[in-house]
Amino acid sequence: MATYDPFRDLDRLASSLFDTRRGPRRMPMDLYRDGDHYVLTADLPGIDPGSVDIDVDGQLLTIRAERTLTSGEDVKWITREREAASFLRQLNLGQGIDTERISASYDNGVLSVTIPVSEKAKPRKIEVMSEGGTPTIKAHESNDAPQPIEQ
């Protein structure tokens, strides 16, 4: 059951009055690894999918999006809490990412970006041979792959 909190309303009002930031807003996101790829999901409600722009420059992944609001000429607003805004998020992908195969989709206000791990960064086994040519030790790399770093 929801309860009325007058301080929440006061905080929302104060934030809207004193928020002078007109630049790009940050988009909330989740990032996790699923097998051989990372998955980034970002909330972008009310965004036209055509306004979403994803760039990779070297190891820097940049996501931009724009929310525009339409208004009819004879419209008389009762309340208007949503505002037009631009969103920006940048991530340093680090080494071990296959930047050529990054893909993205947008569904129900959620942007999903799939970031594959490159073949050379995947764990592999190394067989150690003895002088006689028979394997004596089998070694493998740990499953600790490079992690994307947020800027």
Side-chain angles (χ1 to χ4, degrees):
M1 173 180 230
T3 59
Y4 175 70
D5 182 2
F7 295 107
R8 182 180 58 215
D9 290 339
L10 183 62
D11 183 49
R12 184 174 26 190
L13 177 63
S15 293
S16 67
L17 291 174
F18 298 116
D19 186 12
T20 58
R21 176 176 72 150
R22 294 291 173 222
R25 308 227 185 239
R26 291 176 57 100
M27 63 189 80
M29 69 168 218
D30 293 329
L31 179 65
Y32 60 92
R33 182 166 179 170
D34 183 13
D36 290 338
H37 58 275
Y38 294 96
V39 177
L40 179 150
T41 54
D43 289 346
L44 292 171
I47 298 290
D48 174 16
S51 78
V52 177
D53 183 38
I54 302 173
D55 293 320
V56 177
D57 184 7
Q59 298 305 113
L60 183 66
L61 175 76
T62 303
I63 302 170
R64 289 183 183 89
E66 195 77 32
R67 179 172 52 218
T68 56
L69 301 177
T70 58
S71 175
E73 292 179 21
D74 296 330
V75 172
K76 294 183 179 161
W77 290 100
I78 308 302
T79 185
R80 188 168 190 177
E81 295 179 355
R82 298 176 62 226
E83 58 186 41
S86 58
F87 298 86
L88 174 69
R89 199 68 187 249
Q90 291 185 313
L91 291 133
N92 183 351
L93 298 175
Q95 301 300 316
I97 299 296
D98 186 352
T99 58
E100 298 295 319
R101 296 187 320 142
I102 294 174
S103 62
S105 63
Y106 181 78
D107 189 36
N108 292 326
V110 178
L111 175 68
S112 296
V113 180
T114 302
I115 307 166
V117 175
S118 69
E119 287 298 320
K120 65 182 177 182
K122 291 179 183 175
R124 62 188 181 280
K125 293 190 184 247
I126 300 169
E127 198 170 83
V128 178
M129 305 295 279
S130 71
E131 289 182 28
T134 59
T136 56
I137 301 173
K138 289 187 179 181
H140 65 353
E141 289 187 5
S142 69
N143 290 334
D144 296 332
Q147 302 290 321
I149 301 170
E150 182 179 348
Q151 281 189 332

